[in-house]
Short mmCIF file of all heavy atoms in Angstrom, two decimals:
data_model
loop_
_atom_site.label_atom_id
_atom_site.label_comp_id
_atom_site.label_asym_id
_atom_site.label_seq_id
_atom_site.Cartn_x
_atom_site.Cartn_y
_atom_site.Cartn_z
N MET A 1 0.34 26.36 -13.23
CA MET A 1 0.94 25.05 -13.06
C MET A 1 0.77 24.63 -11.61
O MET A 1 1.02 25.40 -10.70
CB MET A 1 2.42 25.11 -13.46
CG MET A 1 3.10 23.79 -13.35
SD MET A 1 4.85 23.93 -13.74
CE MET A 1 4.92 22.90 -15.15
N THR A 2 0.37 23.40 -11.40
CA THR A 2 0.17 22.91 -10.04
C THR A 2 1.45 22.31 -9.48
O THR A 2 2.34 21.90 -10.23
CB THR A 2 -0.94 21.84 -10.00
OG1 THR A 2 -0.54 20.75 -10.81
CG2 THR A 2 -2.27 22.40 -10.51
N GLU A 3 1.51 22.26 -8.16
CA GLU A 3 2.65 21.66 -7.48
C GLU A 3 2.64 20.15 -7.70
O GLU A 3 1.58 19.53 -7.68
CB GLU A 3 2.57 21.94 -5.97
CG GLU A 3 2.65 23.39 -5.61
CD GLU A 3 4.08 23.89 -5.63
OE1 GLU A 3 4.99 23.12 -5.29
OE2 GLU A 3 4.26 25.06 -5.99
N PRO A 4 3.79 19.52 -7.92
CA PRO A 4 3.82 18.06 -8.07
C PRO A 4 3.44 17.39 -6.74
O PRO A 4 3.80 17.86 -5.68
CB PRO A 4 5.26 17.75 -8.45
CG PRO A 4 6.05 18.96 -8.09
CD PRO A 4 5.10 20.12 -8.05
N LEU A 5 2.68 16.32 -6.84
CA LEU A 5 2.28 15.56 -5.64
C LEU A 5 3.45 14.71 -5.16
O LEU A 5 4.05 13.99 -5.94
CB LEU A 5 1.10 14.65 -5.96
CG LEU A 5 -0.21 15.33 -6.30
CD1 LEU A 5 -1.23 14.31 -6.76
CD2 LEU A 5 -0.74 16.10 -5.10
N GLU A 6 3.75 14.80 -3.89
CA GLU A 6 4.83 13.99 -3.32
C GLU A 6 4.31 13.00 -2.31
O GLU A 6 5.02 12.09 -1.92
CB GLU A 6 5.89 14.90 -2.69
CG GLU A 6 6.60 15.78 -3.68
CD GLU A 6 7.34 15.00 -4.78
OE1 GLU A 6 7.85 13.89 -4.53
OE2 GLU A 6 7.38 15.51 -5.91
N GLU A 7 3.09 13.18 -1.83
CA GLU A 7 2.49 12.24 -0.88
C GLU A 7 2.01 11.01 -1.64
O GLU A 7 1.56 11.11 -2.78
CB GLU A 7 1.30 12.89 -0.16
CG GLU A 7 1.67 14.10 0.67
CD GLU A 7 2.52 13.76 1.87
OE1 GLU A 7 2.27 12.71 2.50
OE2 GLU A 7 3.44 14.51 2.16
N PRO A 8 2.05 9.82 -1.01
CA PRO A 8 1.53 8.62 -1.67
C PRO A 8 0.05 8.82 -2.04
O PRO A 8 -0.70 9.47 -1.31
CB PRO A 8 1.67 7.52 -0.62
CG PRO A 8 2.76 8.00 0.27
CD PRO A 8 2.63 9.50 0.30
N LEU A 9 -0.35 8.27 -3.14
CA LEU A 9 -1.72 8.36 -3.63
C LEU A 9 -2.26 6.96 -3.85
O LEU A 9 -1.74 6.21 -4.67
CB LEU A 9 -1.75 9.14 -4.95
CG LEU A 9 -3.08 9.32 -5.66
CD1 LEU A 9 -4.06 10.11 -4.79
CD2 LEU A 9 -2.86 10.03 -6.98
N LYS A 10 -3.29 6.59 -3.06
CA LYS A 10 -3.86 5.24 -3.17
C LYS A 10 -5.03 5.29 -4.13
O LYS A 10 -5.93 6.11 -4.01
CB LYS A 10 -4.32 4.75 -1.80
CG LYS A 10 -4.89 3.36 -1.82
CD LYS A 10 -5.26 2.91 -0.41
CE LYS A 10 -5.71 1.48 -0.41
NZ LYS A 10 -5.99 1.02 0.96
N ILE A 11 -5.03 4.38 -5.09
CA ILE A 11 -6.08 4.28 -6.09
C ILE A 11 -6.61 2.85 -6.07
O ILE A 11 -5.85 1.91 -6.24
CB ILE A 11 -5.55 4.63 -7.49
CG1 ILE A 11 -4.96 6.03 -7.48
CG2 ILE A 11 -6.64 4.50 -8.54
CD1 ILE A 11 -4.06 6.33 -8.66
N VAL A 12 -7.90 2.69 -5.84
CA VAL A 12 -8.52 1.36 -5.81
C VAL A 12 -9.26 1.15 -7.11
O VAL A 12 -10.06 1.99 -7.53
CB VAL A 12 -9.48 1.23 -4.61
CG1 VAL A 12 -10.18 -0.12 -4.63
CG2 VAL A 12 -8.74 1.45 -3.31
N VAL A 13 -8.98 0.02 -7.75
CA VAL A 13 -9.61 -0.32 -9.02
C VAL A 13 -10.32 -1.66 -8.84
O VAL A 13 -9.73 -2.61 -8.36
CB VAL A 13 -8.56 -0.43 -10.16
CG1 VAL A 13 -9.21 -0.86 -11.45
CG2 VAL A 13 -7.81 0.88 -10.31
N THR A 14 -11.57 -1.72 -9.24
CA THR A 14 -12.33 -2.96 -9.17
C THR A 14 -12.51 -3.48 -10.58
O THR A 14 -12.89 -2.74 -11.48
CB THR A 14 -13.72 -2.72 -8.53
OG1 THR A 14 -13.52 -2.19 -7.22
CG2 THR A 14 -14.52 -4.00 -8.45
N VAL A 15 -12.24 -4.75 -10.76
CA VAL A 15 -12.41 -5.39 -12.07
C VAL A 15 -13.51 -6.42 -11.95
O VAL A 15 -13.47 -7.28 -11.08
CB VAL A 15 -11.10 -6.07 -12.52
CG1 VAL A 15 -11.30 -6.80 -13.84
CG2 VAL A 15 -9.97 -5.07 -12.61
N GLU A 16 -14.50 -6.32 -12.81
CA GLU A 16 -15.59 -7.29 -12.83
C GLU A 16 -15.59 -7.98 -14.18
O GLU A 16 -15.56 -7.32 -15.22
CB GLU A 16 -16.93 -6.60 -12.59
CG GLU A 16 -18.11 -7.56 -12.57
CD GLU A 16 -19.40 -6.86 -12.24
OE1 GLU A 16 -19.53 -6.38 -11.10
OE2 GLU A 16 -20.25 -6.77 -13.14
N VAL A 17 -15.60 -9.29 -14.17
CA VAL A 17 -15.61 -10.07 -15.39
C VAL A 17 -16.92 -10.87 -15.42
O VAL A 17 -17.22 -11.57 -14.46
CB VAL A 17 -14.41 -11.05 -15.46
CG1 VAL A 17 -14.48 -11.91 -16.70
CG2 VAL A 17 -13.09 -10.28 -15.39
N THR A 18 -17.66 -10.73 -16.50
CA THR A 18 -18.87 -11.53 -16.68
C THR A 18 -18.67 -12.40 -17.91
O THR A 18 -18.54 -11.88 -19.02
CB THR A 18 -20.10 -10.62 -16.88
OG1 THR A 18 -20.24 -9.78 -15.74
CG2 THR A 18 -21.36 -11.46 -17.04
N LEU A 19 -18.59 -13.68 -17.69
CA LEU A 19 -18.44 -14.61 -18.81
C LEU A 19 -19.83 -14.90 -19.37
O LEU A 19 -20.68 -15.44 -18.67
CB LEU A 19 -17.79 -15.92 -18.35
CG LEU A 19 -16.37 -15.82 -17.81
CD1 LEU A 19 -15.91 -17.20 -17.35
CD2 LEU A 19 -15.42 -15.28 -18.86
N ALA A 20 -20.07 -14.54 -20.62
CA ALA A 20 -21.37 -14.77 -21.25
C ALA A 20 -21.65 -16.27 -21.33
O ALA A 20 -22.77 -16.72 -21.10
CB ALA A 20 -21.41 -14.14 -22.63
N ARG A 21 -20.60 -17.03 -21.66
CA ARG A 21 -20.73 -18.48 -21.76
C ARG A 21 -19.54 -19.12 -21.05
O ARG A 21 -18.49 -19.33 -21.66
CB ARG A 21 -20.76 -18.90 -23.23
CG ARG A 21 -22.05 -18.52 -23.96
CD ARG A 21 -22.00 -18.96 -25.40
NE ARG A 21 -22.25 -18.04 -26.47
CZ ARG A 21 -22.14 -16.71 -26.52
NH1 ARG A 21 -21.76 -16.06 -25.50
NH2 ARG A 21 -22.43 -16.02 -27.59
N PRO A 22 -19.70 -19.46 -19.78
CA PRO A 22 -18.61 -20.08 -19.03
C PRO A 22 -18.07 -21.35 -19.70
O PRO A 22 -16.91 -21.70 -19.54
CB PRO A 22 -19.22 -20.39 -17.67
CG PRO A 22 -20.32 -19.38 -17.53
CD PRO A 22 -20.86 -19.20 -18.91
N SER A 23 -18.91 -22.00 -20.49
CA SER A 23 -18.45 -23.21 -21.19
C SER A 23 -17.31 -22.91 -22.15
O SER A 23 -16.47 -23.77 -22.42
CB SER A 23 -19.61 -23.87 -21.93
OG SER A 23 -20.14 -22.98 -22.91
N GLU A 24 -17.26 -21.68 -22.65
CA GLU A 24 -16.13 -21.29 -23.53
C GLU A 24 -14.82 -21.30 -22.76
O GLU A 24 -13.77 -21.65 -23.30
CB GLU A 24 -16.38 -19.91 -24.15
CG GLU A 24 -17.51 -19.90 -25.14
CD GLU A 24 -17.79 -18.51 -25.69
OE1 GLU A 24 -17.35 -17.50 -25.10
OE2 GLU A 24 -18.48 -18.44 -26.71
N TRP A 25 -14.87 -20.90 -21.48
CA TRP A 25 -13.66 -20.93 -20.64
C TRP A 25 -13.22 -22.39 -20.45
O TRP A 25 -12.04 -22.71 -20.53
CB TRP A 25 -13.92 -20.27 -19.29
CG TRP A 25 -12.66 -20.01 -18.51
CD1 TRP A 25 -12.07 -20.84 -17.61
CD2 TRP A 25 -11.83 -18.86 -18.60
NE1 TRP A 25 -10.93 -20.29 -17.11
CE2 TRP A 25 -10.75 -19.05 -17.72
CE3 TRP A 25 -11.88 -17.68 -19.33
CZ2 TRP A 25 -9.75 -18.12 -17.54
CZ3 TRP A 25 -10.88 -16.75 -19.14
CH2 TRP A 25 -9.83 -16.97 -18.27
N THR A 26 -14.21 -23.25 -20.23
CA THR A 26 -13.92 -24.67 -20.07
C THR A 26 -13.28 -25.23 -21.34
O THR A 26 -12.27 -25.94 -21.28
CB THR A 26 -15.21 -25.45 -19.74
OG1 THR A 26 -15.73 -24.96 -18.50
CG2 THR A 26 -14.93 -26.94 -19.61
N THR A 27 -13.84 -24.90 -22.49
CA THR A 27 -13.31 -25.37 -23.76
C THR A 27 -11.89 -24.86 -23.99
O THR A 27 -11.00 -25.61 -24.39
CB THR A 27 -14.21 -24.92 -24.93
OG1 THR A 27 -15.52 -25.46 -24.73
CG2 THR A 27 -13.67 -25.39 -26.26
N ALA A 28 -11.67 -23.59 -23.71
CA ALA A 28 -10.36 -22.97 -23.97
C ALA A 28 -9.28 -23.40 -22.98
O ALA A 28 -8.12 -23.60 -23.37
CB ALA A 28 -10.50 -21.45 -23.96
N PHE A 29 -9.65 -23.55 -21.70
CA PHE A 29 -8.64 -23.77 -20.67
C PHE A 29 -8.81 -25.06 -19.88
O PHE A 29 -8.02 -25.34 -18.98
CB PHE A 29 -8.61 -22.57 -19.71
CG PHE A 29 -8.33 -21.27 -20.42
CD1 PHE A 29 -9.35 -20.37 -20.67
CD2 PHE A 29 -7.06 -20.96 -20.88
CE1 PHE A 29 -9.11 -19.18 -21.33
CE2 PHE A 29 -6.80 -19.79 -21.54
CZ PHE A 29 -7.83 -18.89 -21.77
N GLY A 30 -9.86 -25.82 -20.15
CA GLY A 30 -10.05 -27.10 -19.49
C GLY A 30 -10.46 -27.00 -18.03
O GLY A 30 -10.29 -27.96 -17.28
N VAL A 31 -11.00 -25.87 -17.63
CA VAL A 31 -11.41 -25.67 -16.23
C VAL A 31 -12.92 -25.79 -16.16
O VAL A 31 -13.63 -25.10 -16.89
CB VAL A 31 -10.95 -24.29 -15.71
CG1 VAL A 31 -11.40 -24.06 -14.29
CG2 VAL A 31 -9.43 -24.17 -15.81
N GLU A 32 -13.42 -26.66 -15.28
CA GLU A 32 -14.86 -26.89 -15.17
C GLU A 32 -15.37 -26.50 -13.80
O GLU A 32 -14.63 -26.53 -12.83
CB GLU A 32 -15.17 -28.37 -15.41
CG GLU A 32 -14.83 -28.85 -16.80
CD GLU A 32 -15.19 -30.31 -17.00
OE1 GLU A 32 -16.08 -30.81 -16.28
OE2 GLU A 32 -14.58 -30.94 -17.87
N GLY A 33 -16.65 -26.15 -13.72
CA GLY A 33 -17.28 -25.82 -12.45
C GLY A 33 -17.17 -24.34 -12.13
O GLY A 33 -16.15 -23.70 -12.41
N ARG A 34 -18.24 -23.79 -11.56
CA ARG A 34 -18.29 -22.35 -11.28
C ARG A 34 -17.13 -21.87 -10.39
O ARG A 34 -16.48 -20.89 -10.70
CB ARG A 34 -19.62 -21.97 -10.64
CG ARG A 34 -20.76 -22.01 -11.61
CD ARG A 34 -22.02 -21.45 -10.96
NE ARG A 34 -23.09 -21.39 -11.93
CZ ARG A 34 -23.28 -20.39 -12.78
NH1 ARG A 34 -22.45 -19.38 -12.80
NH2 ARG A 34 -24.29 -20.41 -13.64
N SER A 35 -16.91 -22.53 -9.27
CA SER A 35 -15.87 -22.06 -8.35
C SER A 35 -14.48 -22.20 -8.97
O SER A 35 -13.62 -21.33 -8.77
CB SER A 35 -15.95 -22.77 -7.00
OG SER A 35 -15.73 -24.15 -7.15
N GLU A 36 -14.26 -23.26 -9.72
CA GLU A 36 -12.95 -23.45 -10.36
C GLU A 36 -12.73 -22.41 -11.46
O GLU A 36 -11.63 -21.86 -11.59
CB GLU A 36 -12.83 -24.86 -10.94
CG GLU A 36 -12.74 -25.95 -9.90
CD GLU A 36 -14.09 -26.34 -9.31
OE1 GLU A 36 -15.14 -25.85 -9.81
OE2 GLU A 36 -14.11 -27.12 -8.36
N ILE A 37 -13.76 -22.14 -12.25
CA ILE A 37 -13.66 -21.11 -13.29
C ILE A 37 -13.42 -19.75 -12.65
O ILE A 37 -12.56 -18.98 -13.09
CB ILE A 37 -14.91 -21.09 -14.19
CG1 ILE A 37 -14.96 -22.36 -15.05
CG2 ILE A 37 -14.93 -19.85 -15.08
CD1 ILE A 37 -16.24 -22.54 -15.83
N ARG A 38 -14.17 -19.44 -11.59
CA ARG A 38 -14.01 -18.16 -10.89
C ARG A 38 -12.56 -17.99 -10.41
O ARG A 38 -11.93 -16.95 -10.61
CB ARG A 38 -14.98 -18.10 -9.71
CG ARG A 38 -15.04 -16.76 -9.03
CD ARG A 38 -16.12 -16.72 -7.95
NE ARG A 38 -17.44 -16.71 -8.58
CZ ARG A 38 -18.34 -17.67 -8.47
NH1 ARG A 38 -18.10 -18.74 -7.74
NH2 ARG A 38 -19.52 -17.57 -9.05
N ARG A 39 -12.02 -19.04 -9.80
CA ARG A 39 -10.64 -19.00 -9.29
C ARG A 39 -9.65 -18.81 -10.44
O ARG A 39 -8.70 -18.03 -10.35
CB ARG A 39 -10.35 -20.30 -8.53
CG ARG A 39 -9.06 -20.28 -7.75
CD ARG A 39 -8.85 -21.56 -6.92
NE ARG A 39 -10.04 -21.95 -6.17
CZ ARG A 39 -10.71 -23.08 -6.34
NH1 ARG A 39 -10.30 -23.97 -7.23
NH2 ARG A 39 -11.77 -23.36 -5.63
N ASP A 40 -9.87 -19.52 -11.54
CA ASP A 40 -8.97 -19.45 -12.69
C ASP A 40 -9.00 -18.07 -13.34
O ASP A 40 -7.97 -17.52 -13.71
CB ASP A 40 -9.34 -20.53 -13.70
CG ASP A 40 -8.22 -20.84 -14.67
OD1 ASP A 40 -7.08 -21.04 -14.20
OD2 ASP A 40 -8.49 -20.88 -15.88
N VAL A 41 -10.20 -17.49 -13.49
CA VAL A 41 -10.33 -16.15 -14.08
C VAL A 41 -9.63 -15.12 -13.20
O VAL A 41 -8.89 -14.26 -13.69
CB VAL A 41 -11.81 -15.78 -14.31
CG1 VAL A 41 -11.95 -14.31 -14.68
CG2 VAL A 41 -12.42 -16.65 -15.40
N LYS A 42 -9.82 -15.21 -11.88
CA LYS A 42 -9.15 -14.28 -10.96
C LYS A 42 -7.63 -14.39 -11.09
O LYS A 42 -6.93 -13.38 -11.11
CB LYS A 42 -9.57 -14.53 -9.52
CG LYS A 42 -10.96 -14.06 -9.20
CD LYS A 42 -11.29 -14.36 -7.74
CE LYS A 42 -12.67 -13.88 -7.39
NZ LYS A 42 -12.99 -14.14 -5.98
N ALA A 43 -7.13 -15.61 -11.18
CA ALA A 43 -5.69 -15.81 -11.32
C ALA A 43 -5.19 -15.23 -12.64
O ALA A 43 -4.15 -14.58 -12.70
CB ALA A 43 -5.35 -17.30 -11.23
N TYR A 44 -5.96 -15.44 -13.71
CA TYR A 44 -5.59 -14.92 -15.03
C TYR A 44 -5.54 -13.39 -15.02
O TYR A 44 -4.56 -12.79 -15.45
CB TYR A 44 -6.59 -15.41 -16.08
CG TYR A 44 -6.33 -14.85 -17.45
CD1 TYR A 44 -5.38 -15.42 -18.28
CD2 TYR A 44 -7.02 -13.74 -17.91
CE1 TYR A 44 -5.13 -14.89 -19.54
CE2 TYR A 44 -6.78 -13.21 -19.15
CZ TYR A 44 -5.84 -13.79 -19.97
OH TYR A 44 -5.58 -13.25 -21.19
N VAL A 45 -6.57 -12.77 -14.49
CA VAL A 45 -6.63 -11.30 -14.43
C VAL A 45 -5.48 -10.79 -13.56
O VAL A 45 -4.81 -9.81 -13.91
CB VAL A 45 -8.00 -10.82 -13.91
CG1 VAL A 45 -7.97 -9.32 -13.63
CG2 VAL A 45 -9.09 -11.15 -14.91
N GLY A 46 -5.24 -11.43 -12.43
CA GLY A 46 -4.14 -11.03 -11.55
C GLY A 46 -2.79 -11.09 -12.24
O GLY A 46 -1.98 -10.17 -12.12
N ARG A 47 -2.55 -12.15 -13.00
CA ARG A 47 -1.28 -12.27 -13.73
C ARG A 47 -1.15 -11.15 -14.76
O ARG A 47 -0.09 -10.54 -14.90
CB ARG A 47 -1.18 -13.62 -14.42
CG ARG A 47 -0.83 -14.77 -13.52
CD ARG A 47 -0.49 -16.04 -14.30
NE ARG A 47 -1.54 -16.45 -15.22
CZ ARG A 47 -2.57 -17.22 -14.91
NH1 ARG A 47 -2.71 -17.67 -13.67
NH2 ARG A 47 -3.47 -17.57 -15.82
N GLU A 48 -2.22 -10.88 -15.47
CA GLU A 48 -2.19 -9.83 -16.49
C GLU A 48 -1.95 -8.46 -15.88
O GLU A 48 -1.15 -7.68 -16.40
CB GLU A 48 -3.50 -9.82 -17.30
CG GLU A 48 -3.67 -11.02 -18.19
CD GLU A 48 -2.57 -11.13 -19.23
OE1 GLU A 48 -2.29 -10.14 -19.94
OE2 GLU A 48 -1.96 -12.21 -19.34
N LEU A 49 -2.60 -8.17 -14.76
CA LEU A 49 -2.43 -6.86 -14.13
C LEU A 49 -1.03 -6.68 -13.54
O LEU A 49 -0.46 -5.60 -13.59
CB LEU A 49 -3.48 -6.67 -13.03
CG LEU A 49 -4.91 -6.49 -13.50
CD1 LEU A 49 -5.85 -6.43 -12.31
CD2 LEU A 49 -5.04 -5.23 -14.34
N SER A 50 -0.50 -7.74 -12.97
CA SER A 50 0.79 -7.62 -12.31
C SER A 50 1.97 -7.71 -13.27
O SER A 50 3.09 -7.41 -12.89
CB SER A 50 0.93 -8.67 -11.21
OG SER A 50 0.96 -9.97 -11.78
N SER A 51 1.72 -8.10 -14.50
CA SER A 51 2.84 -8.31 -15.42
C SER A 51 3.06 -7.17 -16.42
O SER A 51 3.97 -7.26 -17.23
CB SER A 51 2.61 -9.61 -16.21
OG SER A 51 1.52 -9.45 -17.09
N GLY A 52 2.26 -6.13 -16.37
CA GLY A 52 2.41 -5.17 -17.45
C GLY A 52 2.45 -3.72 -17.03
O GLY A 52 2.29 -3.35 -15.89
N GLY A 53 2.72 -2.94 -18.03
CA GLY A 53 2.65 -1.50 -17.89
C GLY A 53 3.79 -0.86 -17.14
O GLY A 53 4.83 -1.45 -16.88
N VAL A 54 3.55 0.38 -16.79
CA VAL A 54 4.59 1.19 -16.15
C VAL A 54 4.93 0.71 -14.75
O VAL A 54 5.98 1.06 -14.22
CB VAL A 54 4.16 2.68 -16.10
CG1 VAL A 54 4.01 3.25 -17.50
CG2 VAL A 54 2.88 2.86 -15.31
N PHE A 55 4.05 -0.09 -14.14
CA PHE A 55 4.33 -0.59 -12.80
C PHE A 55 5.36 -1.70 -12.82
O PHE A 55 6.15 -1.86 -11.91
CB PHE A 55 3.05 -1.09 -12.13
CG PHE A 55 1.96 -0.05 -12.14
CD1 PHE A 55 0.80 -0.27 -12.84
CD2 PHE A 55 2.12 1.15 -11.47
CE1 PHE A 55 -0.21 0.70 -12.86
CE2 PHE A 55 1.13 2.12 -11.49
CZ PHE A 55 -0.03 1.88 -12.19
N ALA A 56 5.35 -2.50 -13.87
CA ALA A 56 6.27 -3.63 -13.97
C ALA A 56 7.63 -3.24 -14.52
O ALA A 56 8.64 -3.84 -14.19
CB ALA A 56 5.66 -4.73 -14.83
N ASN A 57 7.67 -2.23 -15.38
CA ASN A 57 8.95 -1.89 -16.02
C ASN A 57 9.77 -0.87 -15.25
O ASN A 57 10.83 -0.46 -15.69
CB ASN A 57 8.71 -1.42 -17.46
CG ASN A 57 8.02 -0.08 -17.54
OD1 ASN A 57 7.90 0.65 -16.56
ND2 ASN A 57 7.56 0.26 -18.73
N GLY A 58 9.26 -0.42 -14.09
CA GLY A 58 10.03 0.50 -13.26
C GLY A 58 9.88 1.95 -13.63
O GLY A 58 10.48 2.82 -13.02
N GLU A 59 9.06 2.24 -14.64
CA GLU A 59 8.87 3.64 -15.06
C GLU A 59 8.22 4.46 -13.95
O GLU A 59 8.53 5.64 -13.77
CB GLU A 59 8.01 3.67 -16.32
CG GLU A 59 7.92 5.03 -16.96
CD GLU A 59 7.16 4.99 -18.28
OE1 GLU A 59 7.08 3.94 -18.90
OE2 GLU A 59 6.64 6.04 -18.66
N VAL A 60 7.31 3.84 -13.21
CA VAL A 60 6.64 4.48 -12.09
C VAL A 60 6.81 3.58 -10.87
O VAL A 60 6.52 2.39 -10.94
CB VAL A 60 5.13 4.66 -12.39
CG1 VAL A 60 4.40 5.18 -11.16
CG2 VAL A 60 4.91 5.59 -13.57
N GLU A 61 7.30 4.14 -9.77
CA GLU A 61 7.45 3.36 -8.55
C GLU A 61 6.10 3.22 -7.87
O GLU A 61 5.46 4.22 -7.54
CB GLU A 61 8.43 4.04 -7.59
CG GLU A 61 8.68 3.25 -6.32
CD GLU A 61 9.63 3.95 -5.38
OE1 GLU A 61 10.32 4.89 -5.80
OE2 GLU A 61 9.66 3.54 -4.20
N ALA A 62 5.63 1.98 -7.73
CA ALA A 62 4.31 1.75 -7.13
C ALA A 62 4.25 0.36 -6.53
O ALA A 62 4.94 -0.54 -6.98
CB ALA A 62 3.21 1.91 -8.17
N GLU A 63 3.42 0.23 -5.52
CA GLU A 63 3.13 -1.09 -4.94
C GLU A 63 1.75 -1.49 -5.44
O GLU A 63 0.78 -0.77 -5.24
CB GLU A 63 3.14 -1.01 -3.44
CG GLU A 63 2.79 -2.32 -2.77
CD GLU A 63 2.73 -2.20 -1.25
OE1 GLU A 63 3.40 -1.31 -0.69
OE2 GLU A 63 2.00 -2.99 -0.65
N VAL A 64 1.66 -2.61 -6.10
CA VAL A 64 0.40 -3.11 -6.62
C VAL A 64 0.00 -4.33 -5.80
O VAL A 64 0.75 -5.30 -5.74
CB VAL A 64 0.48 -3.47 -8.12
CG1 VAL A 64 -0.84 -4.02 -8.62
CG2 VAL A 64 0.92 -2.24 -8.93
N THR A 65 -1.16 -4.27 -5.16
CA THR A 65 -1.65 -5.36 -4.33
C THR A 65 -2.93 -5.88 -4.95
O THR A 65 -3.86 -5.12 -5.19
CB THR A 65 -1.94 -4.86 -2.89
OG1 THR A 65 -0.76 -4.28 -2.38
CG2 THR A 65 -2.38 -6.02 -2.00
N LEU A 66 -2.97 -7.17 -5.22
CA LEU A 66 -4.15 -7.79 -5.79
C LEU A 66 -4.84 -8.61 -4.72
O LEU A 66 -4.19 -9.32 -3.97
CB LEU A 66 -3.77 -8.69 -6.96
CG LEU A 66 -2.97 -8.02 -8.08
CD1 LEU A 66 -2.49 -9.05 -9.08
CD2 LEU A 66 -3.81 -6.96 -8.75
N ARG A 67 -6.17 -8.50 -4.64
CA ARG A 67 -6.94 -9.29 -3.66
C ARG A 67 -7.80 -10.28 -4.36
O ARG A 67 -8.28 -10.12 -5.39
CB ARG A 67 -7.84 -8.39 -2.83
CG ARG A 67 -7.07 -7.49 -1.92
CD ARG A 67 -8.01 -6.79 -1.02
NE ARG A 67 -7.89 -5.37 -1.28
CZ ARG A 67 -8.58 -4.46 -0.68
NH1 ARG A 67 -9.49 -4.80 0.18
NH2 ARG A 67 -8.41 -3.20 -0.92
#
C-alpha cells in the first residue's frame, strides 16, 4: 500500500474541439462567424467543466482554473 499524497498535485488538461460543420453551431445557437463561434464554444466548454463532477459538489477539494 502506498502512502497517501498530501502535497498539492497540479494536472493540466487540454480540450480541443473540432466542429465538422460550424454552420450547425450557427443553426443551433444563432452564433455566426469564426471568432464568435470560437468564443461561444470556449464559453460553453468552460461552463460544462466548471459546473460538474466531484469538483463542484465538494467531494474533492480542488481549484479549477479555466483559460
Side-chain angles (χ1 to χ4, degrees):
M1 182 183 243
T2 61
E3 296 281 326
L5 294 172
E6 295 300 327
E7 298 292 321
L9 178 62
K10 181 177 185 176
I11 302 163
V12 177
V13 177
T14 301
V15 177
E16 181 176 293
V17 177
T18 301
L19 297 177
R21 290 180 233 23
S23 61
E24 292 176 344
W25 192 269
T26 299
T27 300
F29 302 104
V31 178
E32 296 182 24
R34 288 187 176 276
S35 62
E36 290 80 7
I37 291 172
R38 188 175 288 116
R39 191 176 314 117
D40 199 49
V41 170
K42 286 180 179 181
Y44 176 83
V45 171
R47 283 190 305 273
E48 290 299 310
L49 290 175
S50 65
S51 68
V54 297
F55 306 116
N57 69 13
E59 188 175 337
V60 174
E61 182 181 345
E63 177 183 334
V64 178
T65 304
L66 304 172
R67 292 188 242 179

